[in-house]
């Protein structure tokens, strides 16, 4: 432990079992499609089709091209929801169905909670209705503007869809939102506020205004001629992240509840750690101290040791300001662990990506295989020489525990620890 690391003994504050998952991603809709594509090193990055990107310096993104909202809701319901809420509901429904809890929710709705966050919320709706206001006047603005726009609506609409009446939350923590949602879901279980929690996050940021904003701060890759090689975490040739969209959700259950109904868990959420850099609005602390503290806090909370962690799903956005500090932190805490940068395949879906990567951690532990990092051809000078997983997934027969790092604008860090259930 470094001199600046948090003090305190490991506690092990109790864990929750993951009994179901759901995903809407650029690699495919459904956990099986998502996971299979990741293991085979496929990329979900391509040319933007959601709007005309020709005036922009970047023309690439990770779109959920196979997603059809009417697979999960009626056309009328879909029209009254922003795309981010459609994603969140789809992921939540999938998770509930895979866990086999749909009927259980109807029996004891007050014991089922929802934590479904979003870093931005209904940006598509906001942009469209602002144009209506500007061009046609206030009388033509949709009465559904507000309930479609606000970031808590994925959580609210999912609760309505499934009939869940326990506690519900919608964390908003920029790119750390997905990790925060899983952490808060674990806390609801620990406190006894719910027996079951559907936890996740969703985002639909591929819009003209969003792209303009991120291009303005020069955070986006402009490798337009090679979309699938544009997201390249830790690589010397990286030039920014690739924007993407989607959602992920996990069903968390108390150990006792899962045992009573004979559920077969995938893995466990063992603990989490949080910290704040207090350094810069968009860049992390350049020595990675904030995420380092969050990793130590996750170990303390979970009762795991650094040596227990066999895999790190790094935040690794493919930006010069972000990758290096995170690798410094990892090198100080768990330099032995297998490190993956899976945004090389999915792109960066902001608030949603932490939930997607949490699913990857759980499945890596269950299947004893770690997903790859695409496009890592030449390690950047500012990145530490860690145990990176390259272009092919790596078998890990002794993998017992993993962590997922999430780092958000504003200096927010959330690290979630996962472990096996054997």
């Amino acid at each position: 432990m470094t001199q600046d690391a948090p003090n305190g003994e490991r506690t092990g504050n109790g864990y929750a079992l993951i009994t179901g998952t759901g995903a809407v991603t650029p690699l495919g809709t459904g956990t099986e499609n998502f996971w299979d594509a990741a293991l085979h090193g496929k990329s979900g990055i391509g040319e933007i089709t959601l709007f005309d990107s020709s005036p922009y310096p970047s023309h690439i993104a990770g779109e959920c091209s196979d997603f059809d909202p009417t697979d999960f809701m009626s056309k009328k319901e879909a029209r009254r929801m922003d795309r981010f809420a459609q994603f969140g509901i789809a992921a939540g429904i999938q998770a509930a169905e895979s866990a086999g809890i749909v009927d259980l929710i109807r029996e004891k709705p007050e014991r089922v909670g929802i934590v479904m966050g979003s870093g931005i919320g209904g940006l598509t709706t906001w942009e469209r209705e602002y144009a209506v206001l500007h061009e046609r006047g206030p009388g033509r603005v949709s009465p559904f503007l507000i309930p479609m726009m606000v970031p808590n609506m994925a959580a609210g609409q999912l609760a309505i869809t499934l009939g869940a009446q326990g506690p519900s939350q919608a964390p908003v923590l920029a790119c750390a939102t997905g990790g925060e949602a899983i952490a808060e879901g674990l806390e609801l279980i620990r406190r006894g506020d719910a027996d079951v929690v559907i936890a996740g996050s969703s985002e639909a940021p591929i819009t003209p205004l969003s792209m303009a904003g991120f291009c303005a701060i020069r955070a986006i890759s402009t490798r337009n001629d090679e979309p699938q090689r544009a997201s390249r975490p830790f690589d010397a040739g990286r030039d920014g992240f690739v924007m993407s969209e989607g959602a992920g959700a996990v069903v968390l259950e108390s150990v006792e509840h899962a045992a009573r109904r004979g559920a077969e868990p995938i893995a466990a959420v063992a603990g989490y750690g949080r910290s704040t850099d207090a350094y810069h609005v968009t860049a992390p602390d350049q020595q990675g101290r904030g995420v380092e503290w969050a990793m130590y806090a996750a170990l303390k909370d979970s009762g795991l040791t650094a040596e227990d962690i066999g895999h790190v799903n790094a935040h690794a956005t493919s930006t010069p300001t972000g990758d290096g500090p995170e690798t410094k932190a990892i090198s100080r805490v768990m330099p032995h662990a297998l490190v993956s940068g899976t945004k090389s395949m999915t792109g960066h879906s902001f608030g949603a990506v932490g939930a997607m990567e949490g699913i990857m951690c759980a499945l890596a532990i269950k299947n004893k295989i770690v997903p790859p990092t695409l496009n890592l051809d030449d390690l950047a000078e500012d990145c530490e020489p860690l145990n990176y997983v390259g272009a092919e997934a790596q078998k890990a027969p002794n993998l017992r525990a993993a962590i997922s790092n999430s780092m958000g604008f504003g200096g927010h860090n959330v690290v979630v620890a996962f472990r096996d259930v054997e």
Side-chain angles (χ1 to χ4, degrees), residues 278-302:
Y279 173 76
H280 190 273
V281 291
T282 61
D285 166 72
Q286 291 304 288
Q287 295 304 312
R289 293 299 184 186
V291 72
E292 177 186 2
W293 295 336
M295 284 191 278
Y296 278 122
L299 293 175
K300 177 182 177 182
D301 185 55
S302 65

Side-chain angles (χ1 to χ4, degrees), residues 311 313 356-366 402-404 418:
H311 169 49
N313 192 304
M356 296 179 191
E357 292 169 351
I359 292 171
M360 284 196 182
C361 282
L363 293 176
I365 293 168
K366 178 178 175 60
I403 64 167
S404 175
F418 301 83

Side-chain angles (χ1 to χ4, degrees), residues 197-363:
V197 176
I198 301 172
S201 51
S202 64
E203 205 80 270
I206 307 174
T207 71
L209 182 61
S210 178
M211 180 62 79
F214 283 104
C215 285
I217 60 174
R218 300 179 181 178
I220 298 280
S221 173
T222 57
R223 194 184 288 255
N224 298 311
D225 55 341
E226 295 181 300
Q228 296 188 350
R229 292 182 55 78
S231 183
R232 39 197 324 112
F234 317 118
D235 187 76
R238 69 198 193 277
D239 70 330
F241 70 81
V242 176
M243 187 183 297
S244 68
E245 61 181 359
V250 297
V251 171
L252 304 179
E253 293 189 55
S254 69
V255 175
E256 297 78 12
H257 187 272
R260 283 199 301 271
R261 70 183 194 91
E264 296 184 9
I266 298 166
V269 178
Y272 63 89
R274 301 175 176 129
S275 70
T276 307
D277 288 347
Y279 173 76
H280 190 273
V281 291
T282 61
D285 166 72
Q286 291 304 288
Q287 295 304 312
R289 293 299 184 186
V291 72
E292 177 186 2
W293 295 336
M295 284 191 278
Y296 278 122
L299 293 175
K300 177 182 177 182
D301 185 55
S302 65
L304 297 167
T305 68
E307 291 71 28
D308 291 328
I309 306 299
H311 169 49
V312 177
N313 192 304
H315 188 62
T317 57
S318 183
T319 56
T321 56
D323 293 357
E326 185 182 11
T327 67
K328 290 180 175 65
I330 295 170
S331 73
R332 293 191 295 265
V333 182
M334 47 195 71
H336 62 282
L338 294 169
V339 178
S340 296
T342 54
K343 292 181 182 69
S344 61
M345 297 178 284
T346 66
H348 188 7
S349 56
F350 305 159
V353 79
M356 296 179 191
E357 292 169 351
I359 292 171
M360 284 196 182
C361 282
L363 293 176

Side-chain angles (χ1 to χ4, degrees), residues 381-396:
E381 291 183 358
D382 63 322
C383 292
E384 295 295 315
L386 300 170
N387 195 6
Y388 298 103
V389 180
E392 295 185 0
Q394 185 168 333
K395 293 182 179 179

